[in-house]
Amino acid sequence: MNPGQFLLRLCIVLTAAGVAVWGLTQWVVIPWVVDGPSMEPSLLEGDCVLVDLWTFRRRPPRQGEIVVVRGPGERVLVKRIGREPGPGAEPYPEPVLAHDPREPSFLVLGDNPRQSDDSRAFGRVPAHRIRGRVAWRYWPLSRAGPIE
């Protein structure tokens, strides 16, 4: 194989690999680093996780799942899908994020309420602002595994 053929094949392989990685991170899974203490003790600041972008194309988020969501000011947050407050409990505020009234919306809550900016402050989040489900922690290795 001459150097020209080698370079051509190398370019093809690198391009194919780049397109595959781009496609995976657009439609299948993205790596994410947890920022802040709002999800302690479930997730700690600096935990590296994989976010599944595919699941919510087939079904809506379920109560208890941890998700990546675009909150007010386009801040990207990691929160848990919460449940409605029980009878007699103080209701959550009206949503500050605009959405179509027919679109489902969800309560998103941090596990550490004293240090969490979540639906208790900004109300429900429309479904289109939920990016994906936090599925797997890969760092630190001592805590690696599926997120439940």
Side-chain angles (χ1 to χ4, degrees), residues 94-105:
E94 288 298 313
V96 298
L97 301 168
H99 70 286
D100 182 330
R102 297 167 293 183
E103 179 184 15
S105 61

Side-chain angles (χ1 to χ4, degrees), residues 85-117:
E90 187 174 322
Y92 291 103
E94 288 298 313
V96 298
L97 301 168
H99 70 286
D100 182 330
R102 297 167 293 183
E103 179 184 15
S105 61
F106 299 89
L107 295 171
V108 293
L109 305 172
D111 288 358
N112 184 358
R114 292 189 178 154
Q115 296 192 339
S116 182
D117 187 20

Side-chain angles (χ1 to χ4, degrees), residues 2-143:
N2 69 41
Q5 288 176 322
F6 172 77
L7 288 176
L8 177 61
R9 288 181 182 178
L10 179 62
C11 286
I12 291 170
V13 167
L14 291 176
T15 300
V19 168
V21 168
W22 176 81
L24 282 173
T25 60
Q26 292 298 308
W27 296 296
V28 180
V29 67
I30 56 172
W32 199 262
V33 179
V34 176
D35 183 28
S38 73
M39 286 304 295
E40 290 179 359
S42 301
L43 296 173
L44 304 178
E45 184 167 15
D47 279 0
C48 296
V49 298
L50 293 176
V51 179
D52 164 15
L53 305 176
W54 193 254
T55 297
F56 297 151
R57 292 186 177 134
R58 296 183 319 235
R59 65 164 177 83
R62 296 179 182 145
Q63 181 181 322
E65 289 182 313
I66 298 176
V67 297
V68 171
V69 61
R70 282 184 301 118
E74 300 305 307
R75 290 179 304 140
V76 180
L77 309 168
V78 176
K79 303 294 175 198
R80 187 179 300 277
I81 300 293
R83 61 184 164 92
E84 296 295 329
E90 187 174 322
Y92 291 103
E94 288 298 313
V96 298
L97 301 168
H99 70 286
D100 182 330
R102 297 167 293 183
E103 179 184 15
S105 61
F106 299 89
L107 295 171
V108 293
L109 305 172
D111 288 358
N112 184 358
R114 292 189 178 154
Q115 296 192 339
S116 182
D117 187 20
D118 56 28
S119 288
R120 291 173 275 241
F122 53 75
R124 300 174 73 83
V125 173
H128 77 271
R129 295 183 72 92
I130 296 176
R131 178 80 195 267
R133 178 179 65 90
V134 176
W136 187 273
R137 178 183 11 244
Y138 64 90
W139 191 263
L141 291 177
S142 61
R143 297 181 36 193

